[in-house]
Amino acid sequence: MNVPITTVYLDMDDVLVDLHRHSYRHIFPDAPDPVIEAMYEATIRFPGIAPIVETYAGTAYDQEALHRLWATLGAEFWRTIPWTKHGKAIIEVCAKHVATLFMSTPVNEAGCVLGKMAWINALPADRRRRYALTPCKHHFAHEGALLVDDNEDNVDRFLSHGGDAMLWPRPWNYVGQLGVTEDEAFDALQQLVSSRGVIAPDSTKCYGDEDE
């Protein structure tokens, strides 16, 4: 039996906003778009980008280096990450059918949290109080909860803790590697929330709404 969906948690980085392309453009500001796109498409568990980076920049680059970079970037980097192709539409279609919250795991650096909060606070007033910044997304899992995330581990943990989850296709996860497109994923998400979404009484109310 399909359980009604009462809450959707939308991952921010690489579901709503385009973190990896934004990162590569920050690292290599003079790189042409085809090089940036090649880096992005080769981001399969990160080692895949190493040959491209080495060819273009003449330096080694790996997962740990990218994570170290993220930990040094200030709030402006995180505030200005552009939307993904379907980012705005994902929010609209989910919020139409079910209580919808943004969810993200900031790196352990204050500028990341400040930048993400600035991004959230730039949204329309009725969306600004609907977020959870946490490295423990699985603690939000419950019957009727749906997580939309690009990270396989986050999805697996959420499922194992009693929630439902959708893995958003990216080059570094198995859904993307199977050839599922963003358009197909968006259509599937739209069908899922429209058929199973339920807006429970007061579920869209959040603390602080009256201050907006």
Side-chain angles (χ1 to χ4, degrees):
M1 185 177 93
N2 288 331
V3 175
I5 298 171
T6 58
T7 310
V8 171
Y9 298 105
L10 298 176
D11 176 42
M12 289 171 58
D13 294 330
D14 290 310
V15 174
L16 300 181
V17 295
D18 203 353
L19 172 60
H20 276 79
R21 288 188 182 92
H22 188 60
S23 299
Y24 299 147
R25 288 191 176 100
H26 182 88
I27 298 165
F28 308 110
D30 298 325
D33 286 345
V35 172
I36 297 296
E37 197 61 24
M39 292 179 182
Y40 174 80
E41 292 297 334
T43 310
I44 303 173
R45 293 297 183 187
F46 293 93
I49 72 169
I52 299 169
V53 173
E54 289 171 11
T55 298
Y56 181 75
T59 183
Y61 219 80
D62 56 17
Q63 179 180 11
E64 288 72 26
L66 188 58
H67 284 181
R68 287 195 300 272
L69 172 74
W70 285 341
T72 65
L73 298 175
E76 187 65 8
F77 172 86
W78 300 98
R79 183 189 71 80
T80 57
I81 303 178
W83 291 94
T84 58
K85 177 180 180 181
H86 294 92
K88 291 182 180 180
I90 290 171
I91 296 172
E92 293 300 324
V93 73
C94 289
K96 180 180 178 181
H97 298 286
V98 66
T100 300
L101 287 82
F102 312 119
M103 184 170 276
S104 188
T105 300
V107 297
N108 192 22
E109 196 276 320
C112 180
V113 177
L114 292 173
K116 287 179 180 289
M117 287 303 306
W119 184 89
I120 291 169
N121 285 328
L123 295 172
D126 62 349
R127 302 278 163 79
R128 294 175 191 161
R129 303 290 295 177
R130 286 143 184 81
Y131 63 87
L133 302 182
T134 175
C136 304
K137 296 180 180 180
H138 56 282
H139 289 318
F140 290 76
H142 57 82
E143 186 176 276
L146 172 69
L147 172 68
V148 182
D149 203 300
D150 66 294
N151 184 288
E152 293 177 22
D153 291 338
N154 288 340
V155 164
D156 289 344
R157 290 192 189 101
F158 204 84
L159 290 169
S160 68
H161 282 73
D164 202 351
M166 179 178 184
L167 184 62
W168 198 257
R170 291 292 176 231
W172 49 87
N173 64 45
Y174 70 84
V175 173
Q177 291 160 26
L178 287 172
V180 177
T181 68
E182 289 183 74
D183 290 344
E184 291 170 334
F186 178 75
D187 289 345
L189 177 61
Q190 187 171 25
Q191 173 62 29
L192 183 62
V193 296
S194 64
S195 63
R196 292 174 52 193
V198 174
I199 298 180
D202 293 328
S203 66
T204 59
K205 301 292 184 181
C206 292
Y207 179 81
D209 280 347
E210 62 277 6
D211 298 330
E212 296 294 343

